[in-house]
Amino acid sequence: MKVRGVTIGLSPLHLIVVAFFIGLFVFSYVNTKETAFLIWGIPLSLVLLIIPVFNSYSVGSQYVRLLPEYEEQSKRVRIKQITLAMLGKPVRVEGVVQAVKGTWLCRPTLTIFDGSAAIVAKKSVPLEVDVSVGDNVEVVGMVVRRFTIFGDVMVHAIGVKLVENLTPLEEEEAPKTEEIRIKKY
């Protein structure tokens, strides 16, 4: 669902929690005939639905505002060039999607391979485009650690878009093929 150009996501987990509490309050009302369960319970359960929707809109609108700035400041890099020294720097990477996870939680995680290496790109809001394994994508985001204190680097994606063709690897970046010799004993 889009509101004012911002994609809003609501995971099935949120809906299950809200349905559970509404069912609990209705069950309590049926057993006790106390209307306070309905008067207080159902609006409070709906608040459990409103909070994640508001959060998704709030974060999504920040991403929409930040995207032009990131697109302007980011440098196109190969995945193998991304190191811990680049933490906090805006980058732009292209590659083929190898895996897509977390879309049902509205926190998509893409594994991207560009011919030199693979990296994880994670976004905190739903994707604006439908991405599947094998698609060519361009990710604009910031280099961060996967975990706060330790762990490998990943890209916190601000924008993800599909591209027709990937930028070819430079000659010095292309993987070198070596001749393999098998010794006979």
Side-chain angles (χ1 to χ4, degrees):
M1 162 174 45
K2 279 196 171 207
V3 175
R4 296 183 186 169
V6 178
T7 304
I8 295 177
L10 192 62
S11 81
L13 189 59
H14 293 121
L15 298 174
I16 290 169
V17 168
V18 170
F20 171 77
F21 280 107
I22 287 176
L24 184 68
F25 288 122
V26 169
F27 177 76
S28 298
Y29 168 74
V30 168
N31 284 336
T32 63
K33 301 295 185 220
E34 183 66 41
T35 58
F37 285 115
L38 296 179
I39 293 172
W40 287 99
I42 292 178
L44 288 174
S45 297
L46 293 177
V47 167
L48 291 175
L49 192 64
I50 293 169
I51 290 172
V53 168
F54 178 75
N55 183 46
S56 180
Y57 177 78
S58 176
V59 173
S61 64
Q62 290 176 7
Y63 277 33
V64 168
R65 276 185 269 133
L66 285 173
L67 185 58
E69 182 180 332
Y70 270 81
E71 286 179 336
E72 179 183 318
Q73 294 179 1
S74 64
K75 294 180 182 177
R76 185 176 308 278
V77 296
R78 292 291 173 202
I79 294 173
K80 74 175 183 178
Q81 297 170 331
I82 298 175
T83 63
L84 288 173
M86 297 177 70
L87 288 175
K89 304 283 189 220
V91 295
R92 180 185 306 252
V93 295
E94 287 183 346
V96 178
V97 176
Q98 290 184 323
V100 180
K101 298 178 183 175
T103 54
W104 67 278
L105 286 174
C106 299
R107 305 280 190 251
T109 302
L110 307 173
T111 303
I112 302 168
F113 179 73
D114 73 347
S116 67
I119 197 164
V120 171
K122 190 170 186 117
K123 194 165 182 185
S124 298
V125 294
L127 294 171
E128 297 84 20
V129 294
D130 189 25
V131 176
S132 57
V133 174
D135 288 345
N136 296 334
V137 295
E138 179 183 68
V139 176
V140 175
M142 180 187 297
V143 178
V144 296
R145 285 184 191 254
R146 186 178 291 228
F147 304 107
T148 306
I149 297 177
F150 60 90
D152 52 349
V153 292
M154 64 179 259
V155 176
H156 181 90
I158 302 297
V160 176
K161 65 180 176 181
L162 296 170
V163 293
E164 265 316 297
N165 298 318
L166 299 175
T167 306
L169 288 170
E170 302 298 325
E171 195 61 40
E172 65 271 3
E173 294 176 343
K176 301 200 184 319
T177 57
E178 296 179 9
E179 187 177 313
I180 298 174
R181 295 185 193 177
I182 300 174
K183 292 183 180 179
K184 293 183 181 179
Y185 293 102

